[in-house]
Amino acid sequence: MNQNIQNIRISTSHTVTHMIYRELLKEYMDKFEEAKRPDIVYVTDLVACTHKFHLRHLFPELTMRFEPAAILGDLVHMGLESYLEKHGYEVEVPFEKKYKIHGREYTLKGRLDAYNKNEGIIVEIKTGRSSQNLPREHHIYQLQIYLSLLEAEKGILVYITPEKIIEYEFKRDKSINVSSLLKMLVEDTVHPKWSWECRYCPFQKICPYSLKGE
């Protein structure tokens, strides 16, 4: 090591980390009250374990994450969305739609990563540690729900991993029945939806349906 470098005093800091934490905490707190409402459903709820939806209303605090992988994913989203915005896409596009299940009204909410309304194209951005076994089935499912709700004709899944950037294009599957998916969620009939879900679920230790060893 260079002698001059050896003489430099190095100390640790949490300046930037604390800035990121405060920003994420603000976002979480803004959504906290909404997350407790049983009449609010997110599109991501429709592609996951139905019991997770019900546990979130009881224990919303357990959903908060402060993980480097999640932060990295957010930063990648922000970067790619800024490029897409320059090419005619709207980014972070919110939408909602009302449904009635068993006489009760539910609001289904979602947020598109990028949307070109003129061309009818929805883009979803995903990050991961590996480019194996892509595209993920639940990501396809989520994209198809978006296509159905907005009646868009084409969707693109973009994966960014340390190994590569790869994208997949899909046409809208008109057989998707959002009302049926919402009914299954409300009735809590599928738990888990995917064999790997329990490993990553924040409610794993309090869930009666948790698959041990999966």
Side-chain angles (χ1 to χ4, degrees), residues 98-147:
K98 305 287 187 182
Y99 289 87
K100 271 201 172 181
I101 305 294
H102 300 318
R104 181 173 184 178
E105 186 173 82
Y106 292 85
T107 302
L108 179 61
K109 305 183 77 169
R111 185 179 295 273
L112 309 176
D113 289 339
Y115 181 40
N116 189 315
K117 189 174 183 179
N118 293 331
E119 297 185 17
I121 302 174
I122 294 173
V123 177
E124 277 296 293
I125 303 163
K126 304 296 182 184
T127 58
R129 296 186 179 92
S130 170
S131 57
Q132 295 182 352
N133 302 315
L134 298 180
R136 311 281 189 216
E137 192 172 356
H138 62 297
H139 292 160
I140 299 172
Y141 214 177
Q142 179 185 355
L143 180 59
Q144 285 293 343
I145 292 171
Y146 285 149
L147 292 173

Side-chain angles (χ1 to χ4, degrees), residues 39-205:
D39 62 318
I40 298 293
V41 179
Y42 302 118
V43 168
T44 49
D45 292 326
L46 300 182
V47 301
C49 167
T50 60
H51 200 60
K52 184 177 181 180
F53 167 76
H54 295 273
L55 287 174
R56 188 185 75 222
H57 301 136
L58 297 173
F59 309 101
E61 298 86 352
L62 295 181
T63 62
M64 184 179 176
R65 293 188 308 161
F66 188 65
E67 298 288 342
I71 295 168
L72 184 60
D74 288 343
L75 294 174
V76 170
H77 270 74
M78 291 168 59
L80 185 49
E81 285 172 356
S82 70
Y83 281 114
L84 290 169
E85 197 169 21
K86 292 177 183 177
H87 291 274
Y89 285 81
E90 298 176 70
V91 299
E92 292 293 310
V93 182
F95 68 89
E96 61 181 59
K97 188 173 181 179
K98 305 287 187 182
Y99 289 87
K100 271 201 172 181
I101 305 294
H102 300 318
R104 181 173 184 178
E105 186 173 82
Y106 292 85
T107 302
L108 179 61
K109 305 183 77 169
R111 185 179 295 273
L112 309 176
D113 289 339
Y115 181 40
N116 189 315
K117 189 174 183 179
N118 293 331
E119 297 185 17
I121 302 174
I122 294 173
V123 177
E124 277 296 293
I125 303 163
K126 304 296 182 184
T127 58
R129 296 186 179 92
S130 170
S131 57
Q132 295 182 352
N133 302 315
L134 298 180
R136 311 281 189 216
E137 192 172 356
H138 62 297
H139 292 160
I140 299 172
Y141 214 177
Q142 179 185 355
L143 180 59
Q144 285 293 343
I145 292 171
Y146 285 149
L147 292 173
S148 176
L149 290 170
L150 276 78
E151 298 184 345
E153 291 304 318
K154 186 167 74 173
I156 298 174
L157 275 175
V158 180
Y159 287 92
I160 301 178
T161 75
E163 301 164 352
K164 62 173 67 176
I165 301 174
I166 187 169
E167 61 183 82
Y168 301 90
E169 183 176 303
F170 301 88
K171 298 294 184 183
R172 175 158 61 104
D173 180 356
K174 296 183 180 180
S175 69
I176 294 290
N177 188 327
V178 176
S179 293
S180 177
L181 293 172
L182 188 54
K183 185 172 181 286
M184 286 192 294
L185 183 72
V186 171
E187 294 177 351
D188 195 9
T189 58
V190 185
H191 32 67
K193 195 176 188 74
W194 315 99
S195 62
W196 47 263
E197 269 188 291
C198 297
R199 288 202 306 271
Y200 307 102
C201 182
F203 308 112
Q204 181 187 24
K205 293 183 179 179

Side-chain angles (χ1 to χ4, degrees), residues 30-42:
D30 288 344
K31 297 176 182 176
F32 181 74
E33 290 304 318
E34 184 177 272
K36 293 194 294 185
R37 289 177 53 185
D39 62 318
I40 298 293
V41 179
Y42 302 118

